[in-house]
mmCIF file of all heavy atoms in Angstrom:
data_model
loop_
_atom_site.group_PDB
_atom_site.id
_atom_site.type_symbol
_atom_site.label_atom_id
_atom_site.label_comp_id
_atom_site.label_asym_id
_atom_site.label_seq_id
_atom_site.Cartn_x
_atom_site.Cartn_y
_atom_site.Cartn_z
ATOM 1 N N GLU A 181 0.916 -1.194 -0.039
ATOM 2 C CA GLU A 181 0.019 -0.005 -0.025
ATOM 3 C C GLU A 181 0.779 1.277 0.032
ATOM 4 O O GLU A 181 0.550 2.147 -0.733
ATOM 5 C CB GLU A 181 -0.850 -0.028 1.197
ATOM 6 C CG GLU A 181 -1.812 1.241 1.355
ATOM 7 C CD GLU A 181 -2.569 1.294 2.596
ATOM 8 O OE1 GLU A 181 -2.355 0.374 3.436
ATOM 9 O OE2 GLU A 181 -3.269 2.265 2.822
ATOM 10 N N HIS A 182 1.907 1.197 0.866
ATOM 11 C CA HIS A 182 2.854 2.333 0.853
ATOM 12 C C HIS A 182 3.541 2.702 -0.490
ATOM 13 O O HIS A 182 3.514 3.738 -0.932
ATOM 14 C CB HIS A 182 3.831 2.096 1.938
ATOM 15 C CG HIS A 182 5.055 3.104 1.899
ATOM 16 N ND1 HIS A 182 4.746 4.368 2.455
ATOM 17 C CD2 HIS A 182 6.204 3.105 1.475
ATOM 18 C CE1 HIS A 182 5.977 5.058 2.241
ATOM 19 N NE2 HIS A 182 6.836 4.389 1.690
ATOM 20 N N LEU A 183 4.031 1.676 -1.079
ATOM 21 C CA LEU A 183 4.752 1.833 -2.382
ATOM 22 C C LEU A 183 3.744 2.242 -3.479
ATOM 23 O O LEU A 183 4.081 3.013 -4.466
ATOM 24 C CB LEU A 183 5.529 0.523 -2.767
ATOM 25 C CG LEU A 183 6.645 0.127 -1.927
ATOM 26 C CD1 LEU A 183 7.284 -1.249 -2.349
ATOM 27 C CD2 LEU A 183 7.687 1.232 -1.787
ATOM 28 N N ASP A 184 2.611 1.820 -3.410
ATOM 29 C CA ASP A 184 1.533 2.014 -4.475
ATOM 30 C C ASP A 184 0.924 3.445 -4.351
ATOM 31 O O ASP A 184 0.507 4.059 -5.350
ATOM 32 C CB ASP A 184 0.405 1.089 -4.436
ATOM 33 C CG ASP A 184 0.980 -0.344 -4.969
ATOM 34 O OD1 ASP A 184 2.087 -0.378 -5.574
ATOM 35 O OD2 ASP A 184 0.248 -1.409 -4.679
ATOM 36 N N THR A 185 0.767 3.968 -3.053
ATOM 37 C CA THR A 185 -0.109 5.105 -2.925
ATOM 38 C C THR A 185 0.734 6.328 -2.414
ATOM 39 O O THR A 185 0.239 7.456 -2.514
ATOM 40 C CB THR A 185 -1.176 4.874 -1.815
ATOM 41 O OG1 THR A 185 -0.608 4.441 -0.665
ATOM 42 C CG2 THR A 185 -2.099 3.762 -2.377
ATOM 43 N N SER A 186 1.898 6.105 -1.831
ATOM 44 C CA SER A 186 2.620 7.237 -1.295
ATOM 45 C C SER A 186 3.112 8.244 -2.325
ATOM 46 O O SER A 186 3.613 7.855 -3.398
ATOM 47 C CB SER A 186 3.815 6.827 -0.470
ATOM 48 O OG SER A 186 4.731 6.087 -1.268
ATOM 49 N N THR A 187 2.890 9.507 -2.079
ATOM 50 C CA THR A 187 3.403 10.542 -3.025
ATOM 51 C C THR A 187 4.467 11.476 -2.439
ATOM 52 O O THR A 187 5.202 12.056 -3.212
ATOM 53 C CB THR A 187 2.183 11.424 -3.472
ATOM 54 O OG1 THR A 187 1.542 11.916 -2.249
ATOM 55 C CG2 THR A 187 1.197 10.507 -4.186
ATOM 56 N N ILE A 188 4.596 11.568 -1.108
ATOM 57 C CA ILE A 188 5.485 12.403 -0.471
ATOM 58 C C ILE A 188 6.760 11.707 -0.091
ATOM 59 O O ILE A 188 7.818 12.049 -0.495
ATOM 60 C CB ILE A 188 4.841 13.151 0.720
ATOM 61 C CG1 ILE A 188 3.598 13.918 0.345
ATOM 62 C CG2 ILE A 188 5.951 14.063 1.408
ATOM 63 C CD1 ILE A 188 2.972 14.626 1.491
ATOM 64 N N PHE A 189 6.632 10.698 0.703
ATOM 65 C CA PHE A 189 7.855 9.838 1.106
ATOM 66 C C PHE A 189 7.640 8.393 0.796
ATOM 67 O O PHE A 189 6.564 7.725 1.305
ATOM 68 C CB PHE A 189 8.012 10.053 2.636
ATOM 69 C CG PHE A 189 9.101 9.237 3.149
ATOM 70 C CD1 PHE A 189 10.401 9.475 3.106
ATOM 71 C CD2 PHE A 189 8.788 7.955 3.791
ATOM 72 C CE1 PHE A 189 11.362 8.723 3.614
ATOM 73 C CE2 PHE A 189 9.775 7.108 4.282
ATOM 74 C CZ PHE A 189 11.010 7.466 4.237
ATOM 75 N N ARG A 190 8.457 7.898 -0.230
ATOM 76 C CA ARG A 190 8.411 6.529 -0.484
ATOM 77 C C ARG A 190 9.525 5.722 0.114
ATOM 78 O O ARG A 190 9.549 4.547 0.309
ATOM 79 C CB ARG A 190 8.412 6.358 -1.979
ATOM 80 C CG ARG A 190 7.198 6.869 -2.730
ATOM 81 C CD ARG A 190 7.122 6.583 -4.269
ATOM 82 N NE ARG A 190 6.676 5.164 -4.426
ATOM 83 C CZ ARG A 190 7.434 4.280 -5.019
ATOM 84 N NH1 ARG A 190 8.587 4.582 -5.362
ATOM 85 N NH2 ARG A 190 6.924 3.088 -5.184
ATOM 86 N N GLY A 191 10.604 6.483 0.295
ATOM 87 C CA GLY A 191 11.790 5.738 0.917
ATOM 88 C C GLY A 191 12.652 5.012 -0.040
ATOM 89 O O GLY A 191 13.473 4.190 0.221
ATOM 90 N N THR A 192 12.574 5.296 -1.367
ATOM 91 C CA THR A 192 13.368 4.589 -2.376
ATOM 92 C C THR A 192 14.261 5.412 -3.209
ATOM 93 O O THR A 192 14.990 4.945 -4.041
ATOM 94 C CB THR A 192 12.276 3.990 -3.490
ATOM 95 O OG1 THR A 192 11.399 4.995 -3.989
ATOM 96 C CG2 THR A 192 11.363 2.990 -2.798
ATOM 97 N N SER A 193 14.231 6.826 -2.898
ATOM 98 C CA SER A 193 15.168 7.712 -3.671
ATOM 99 C C SER A 193 16.653 7.384 -3.173
ATOM 100 O O SER A 193 16.986 6.837 -2.221
ATOM 101 C CB SER A 193 14.797 9.098 -3.390
ATOM 102 O OG SER A 193 15.083 9.522 -2.028
ATOM 103 N N VAL A 194 17.552 7.917 -4.006
ATOM 104 C CA VAL A 194 19.030 7.726 -3.779
ATOM 105 C C VAL A 194 19.410 8.485 -2.396
ATOM 106 O O VAL A 194 20.072 7.811 -1.592
ATOM 107 C CB VAL A 194 19.842 8.319 -4.989
ATOM 108 C CG1 VAL A 194 21.350 8.369 -4.493
ATOM 109 C CG2 VAL A 194 19.672 7.455 -6.201
ATOM 110 N N SER A 195 18.852 9.683 -2.227
ATOM 111 C CA SER A 195 19.205 10.378 -0.949
ATOM 112 C C SER A 195 18.663 9.726 0.282
ATOM 113 O O SER A 195 19.367 9.602 1.274
ATOM 114 C CB SER A 195 18.616 11.746 -1.141
ATOM 115 O OG SER A 195 17.213 11.704 -1.297
ATOM 116 N N ILE A 196 17.387 9.141 0.174
ATOM 117 C CA ILE A 196 16.895 8.438 1.309
ATOM 118 C C ILE A 196 17.654 7.178 1.541
ATOM 119 O O ILE A 196 17.998 6.858 2.740
ATOM 120 C CB ILE A 196 15.392 8.138 1.075
ATOM 121 C CG1 ILE A 196 14.530 9.323 1.039
ATOM 122 C CG2 ILE A 196 14.937 7.092 2.112
ATOM 123 C CD1 ILE A 196 14.578 10.138 2.220
ATOM 124 N N GLN A 197 18.125 6.477 0.536
ATOM 125 C CA GLN A 197 18.936 5.232 0.765
ATOM 126 C C GLN A 197 20.314 5.672 1.522
ATOM 127 O O GLN A 197 20.605 4.928 2.466
ATOM 128 C CB GLN A 197 19.269 4.588 -0.567
ATOM 129 C CG GLN A 197 18.001 3.957 -1.287
ATOM 130 C CD GLN A 197 18.387 3.285 -2.549
ATOM 131 O OE1 GLN A 197 19.421 2.709 -2.687
ATOM 132 N NE2 GLN A 197 17.596 3.583 -3.617
ATOM 133 N N ASN A 198 20.853 6.755 1.048
ATOM 134 C CA ASN A 198 22.077 7.208 1.679
ATOM 135 C C ASN A 198 21.862 7.539 3.165
ATOM 136 O O ASN A 198 22.701 7.358 4.021
ATOM 137 C CB ASN A 198 22.754 8.251 0.860
ATOM 138 C CG ASN A 198 23.251 7.800 -0.428
ATOM 139 O OD1 ASN A 198 23.673 6.628 -0.680
ATOM 140 N ND2 ASN A 198 23.367 8.710 -1.379
ATOM 141 N N ASP A 199 20.658 8.290 3.398
ATOM 142 C CA ASP A 199 20.359 8.775 4.716
ATOM 143 C C ASP A 199 20.143 7.490 5.618
ATOM 144 O O ASP A 199 20.637 7.491 6.781
ATOM 145 C CB ASP A 199 19.080 9.565 4.684
ATOM 146 C CG ASP A 199 19.330 10.967 4.144
ATOM 147 O OD1 ASP A 199 20.534 11.328 4.021
ATOM 148 O OD2 ASP A 199 18.362 11.627 3.690
ATOM 149 N N LEU A 200 19.529 6.426 5.137
ATOM 150 C CA LEU A 200 19.297 5.338 5.984
ATOM 151 C C LEU A 200 20.485 4.599 6.207
ATOM 152 O O LEU A 200 20.870 4.192 7.433
ATOM 153 C CB LEU A 200 18.384 4.314 5.169
ATOM 154 C CG LEU A 200 16.898 4.670 5.072
ATOM 155 C CD1 LEU A 200 16.154 3.773 4.279
ATOM 156 C CD2 LEU A 200 16.215 4.744 6.557
ATOM 157 N N ILE A 201 21.541 4.479 5.269
ATOM 158 C CA ILE A 201 22.761 3.912 5.485
ATOM 159 C C ILE A 201 23.573 4.685 6.573
ATOM 160 O O ILE A 201 24.086 4.131 7.433
ATOM 161 C CB ILE A 201 23.560 3.786 4.108
ATOM 162 C CG1 ILE A 201 22.914 2.769 3.117
ATOM 163 C CG2 ILE A 201 25.038 3.318 4.356
ATOM 164 C CD1 ILE A 201 23.430 2.883 1.750
ATOM 165 N N ASN A 202 23.592 5.924 6.338
ATOM 166 C CA ASN A 202 24.339 6.817 7.382
ATOM 167 C C ASN A 202 23.769 6.705 8.634
ATOM 168 O O ASN A 202 24.547 6.653 9.610
ATOM 169 C CB ASN A 202 24.402 8.266 6.820
ATOM 170 C CG ASN A 202 25.268 8.389 5.560
ATOM 171 O OD1 ASN A 202 26.145 7.616 5.293
ATOM 172 N ND2 ASN A 202 24.890 9.338 4.761
ATOM 173 N N SER A 203 22.454 6.736 8.858
ATOM 174 C CA SER A 203 21.847 6.618 10.148
ATOM 175 C C SER A 203 22.097 5.258 10.762
ATOM 176 O O SER A 203 22.437 5.286 12.009
ATOM 177 C CB SER A 203 20.298 6.761 9.961
ATOM 178 O OG SER A 203 20.007 8.102 9.349
ATOM 179 N N ILE A 204 22.110 4.212 10.160
ATOM 180 C CA ILE A 204 22.432 2.910 10.547
ATOM 181 C C ILE A 204 23.845 2.834 11.115
ATOM 182 O O ILE A 204 24.184 2.344 12.133
ATOM 183 C CB ILE A 204 22.014 1.721 9.624
ATOM 184 C CG1 ILE A 204 20.485 1.681 9.365
ATOM 185 C CG2 ILE A 204 22.580 0.328 10.185
ATOM 186 C CD1 ILE A 204 20.126 0.848 8.294
ATOM 187 N N ALA A 205 24.699 3.393 10.244
ATOM 188 C CA ALA A 205 26.188 3.618 10.558
ATOM 189 C C ALA A 205 26.347 4.278 11.855
ATOM 190 O O ALA A 205 27.167 3.872 12.707
ATOM 191 C CB ALA A 205 26.949 4.107 9.484
ATOM 192 N N ASP A 206 25.630 5.482 12.058
ATOM 193 C CA ASP A 206 25.719 6.147 13.200
ATOM 194 C C ASP A 206 25.253 5.430 14.475
ATOM 195 O O ASP A 206 25.810 5.491 15.506
ATOM 196 C CB ASP A 206 24.899 7.445 13.135
ATOM 197 C CG ASP A 206 25.552 8.417 12.216
ATOM 198 O OD1 ASP A 206 26.752 8.353 11.856
ATOM 199 O OD2 ASP A 206 24.755 9.353 11.626
ATOM 200 N N VAL A 207 24.141 4.612 14.378
ATOM 201 C CA VAL A 207 23.655 3.786 15.436
ATOM 202 C C VAL A 207 24.702 2.744 15.915
ATOM 203 O O VAL A 207 25.034 2.484 17.020
ATOM 204 C CB VAL A 207 22.399 3.071 15.078
ATOM 205 C CG1 VAL A 207 21.951 2.095 16.170
ATOM 206 C CG2 VAL A 207 21.244 4.181 15.030
ATOM 207 N N ILE A 208 25.276 2.124 14.874
ATOM 208 C CA ILE A 208 26.438 1.136 15.089
ATOM 209 C C ILE A 208 27.627 1.731 15.795
ATOM 210 O O ILE A 208 28.058 1.170 16.848
ATOM 211 C CB ILE A 208 26.800 0.392 13.820
ATOM 212 C CG1 ILE A 208 25.639 -0.396 13.203
ATOM 213 C CG2 ILE A 208 27.923 -0.469 14.055
ATOM 214 C CD1 ILE A 208 25.841 -0.955 11.850
ATOM 215 N N LYS A 209 28.118 2.912 15.256
ATOM 216 C CA LYS A 209 29.197 3.610 15.847
ATOM 217 C C LYS A 209 28.919 3.941 17.363
ATOM 218 O O LYS A 209 29.766 3.970 18.131
ATOM 219 C CB LYS A 209 29.581 4.798 14.993
ATOM 220 C CG LYS A 209 30.282 4.339 13.736
ATOM 221 C CD LYS A 209 30.565 5.581 12.913
ATOM 222 C CE LYS A 209 31.320 5.194 11.600
ATOM 223 N NZ LYS A 209 31.719 6.348 10.754
ATOM 224 N N HIS A 210 27.643 4.319 17.568
ATOM 225 C CA HIS A 210 27.244 4.876 18.926
ATOM 226 C C HIS A 210 27.248 3.640 19.845
ATOM 227 O O HIS A 210 27.793 3.642 21.028
ATOM 228 C CB HIS A 210 25.837 5.414 18.952
ATOM 229 C CG HIS A 210 25.353 5.839 20.232
ATOM 230 N ND1 HIS A 210 25.888 6.951 20.948
ATOM 231 C CD2 HIS A 210 24.382 5.270 21.167
ATOM 232 C CE1 HIS A 210 25.250 7.112 22.089
ATOM 233 N NE2 HIS A 210 24.405 5.998 22.081
ATOM 234 N N GLU A 211 26.951 2.361 19.373
ATOM 235 C CA GLU A 211 26.921 1.137 20.138
ATOM 236 C C GLU A 211 28.514 0.828 20.479
ATOM 237 O O GLU A 211 28.874 0.398 21.541
ATOM 238 C CB GLU A 211 26.267 0.020 19.472
ATOM 239 C CG GLU A 211 24.772 0.107 19.414
ATOM 240 C CD GLU A 211 24.172 0.124 20.799
ATOM 241 O OE1 GLU A 211 24.637 -0.750 21.697
ATOM 242 O OE2 GLU A 211 23.384 0.954 21.106
ATOM 243 N N ILE A 212 29.334 0.960 19.350
ATOM 244 C CA ILE A 212 30.696 0.727 19.622
ATOM 245 C C ILE A 212 31.287 1.690 20.626
ATOM 246 O O ILE A 212 32.037 1.237 21.513
ATOM 247 C CB ILE A 212 31.438 0.879 18.266
ATOM 248 C CG1 ILE A 212 31.010 -0.226 17.159
ATOM 249 C CG2 ILE A 212 33.006 0.717 18.475
ATOM 250 C CD1 ILE A 212 31.595 -0.073 15.769
ATOM 251 N N PHE A 213 30.863 2.928 20.494
ATOM 252 C CA PHE A 213 31.321 3.931 21.477
ATOM 253 C C PHE A 213 31.048 3.546 22.924
ATOM 254 O O PHE A 213 31.820 3.599 23.849
ATOM 255 C CB PHE A 213 30.737 5.298 21.166
ATOM 256 C CG PHE A 213 31.130 6.375 22.204
ATOM 257 C CD1 PHE A 213 32.323 7.107 22.023
ATOM 258 C CD2 PHE A 213 30.286 6.675 23.325
ATOM 259 C CE1 PHE A 213 32.645 8.130 22.913
ATOM 260 C CE2 PHE A 213 30.514 7.705 24.141
ATOM 261 C CZ PHE A 213 31.783 8.411 23.942
ATOM 262 N N ASN A 214 29.725 3.106 23.150
ATOM 263 C CA ASN A 214 29.364 2.659 24.473
ATOM 264 C C ASN A 214 30.133 1.395 25.012
ATOM 265 O O ASN A 214 30.410 1.299 26.187
ATOM 266 C CB ASN A 214 27.844 2.386 24.433
ATOM 267 C CG ASN A 214 26.987 3.550 24.320
ATOM 268 O OD1 ASN A 214 27.384 4.591 24.552
ATOM 269 N ND2 ASN A 214 25.796 3.373 23.759
ATOM 270 N N GLU A 215 30.452 0.442 24.098
ATOM 271 C CA GLU A 215 31.168 -0.659 24.473
ATOM 272 C C GLU A 215 32.503 -0.250 24.861
ATOM 273 O O GLU A 215 33.137 -0.757 25.830
ATOM 274 C CB GLU A 215 31.321 -1.703 23.229
ATOM 275 C CG GLU A 215 30.151 -2.453 22.994
ATOM 276 C CD GLU A 215 30.333 -3.582 21.984
ATOM 277 O OE1 GLU A 215 31.307 -3.573 21.301
ATOM 278 O OE2 GLU A 215 29.633 -4.616 22.158
ATOM 279 N N ILE A 216 33.116 0.661 24.174
ATOM 280 C CA ILE A 216 34.547 1.153 24.380
ATOM 281 C C ILE A 216 34.610 1.803 25.774
ATOM 282 O O ILE A 216 35.641 1.759 26.444
ATOM 283 C CB ILE A 216 35.107 1.943 23.292
ATOM 284 C CG1 ILE A 216 35.291 1.115 22.145
ATOM 285 C CG2 ILE A 216 36.286 2.718 23.679
ATOM 286 C CD1 ILE A 216 35.727 1.866 20.841
ATOM 287 N N GLN A 217 33.604 2.552 26.121
ATOM 288 C CA GLN A 217 33.526 3.206 27.487
ATOM 289 C C GLN A 217 33.628 2.183 28.610
ATOM 290 O O GLN A 217 33.995 2.560 29.716
ATOM 291 C CB GLN A 217 32.239 4.016 27.611
ATOM 292 C CG GLN A 217 32.095 5.145 26.573
ATOM 293 C CD GLN A 217 33.358 5.814 26.170
ATOM 294 O OE1 GLN A 217 34.003 6.430 27.031
ATOM 295 N NE2 GLN A 217 33.779 5.744 24.958
#
């Protein structure tokens, strides 16, 4: 339903893919930071 009907945010553009990758990387690095402490 989301992919068929969404007009504002579909989550499939290049910029959104990059944002998701960077966000996940930030979460992982934050967990690494907490482990190191």
Side-chain angles (χ1 to χ4, degrees):
E181 180 189 359
H182 171 75
L183 294 177
D184 291 342
T185 62
S186 60
T187 56
I188 299 176
F189 173 79
R190 296 186 78 240
T192 58
S193 67
V194 172
S195 59
I196 294 299
Q197 291 180 44
N198 290 335
D199 288 342
L200 288 172
I201 293 171
N202 292 331
S203 298
I204 293 170
D206 289 340
V207 171
I208 293 173
K209 288 180 180 178
H210 182 69
E211 289 299 315
I212 294 173
F213 178 84
N214 290 338
E215 278 190 343
I216 289 177
Q217 303 315 301

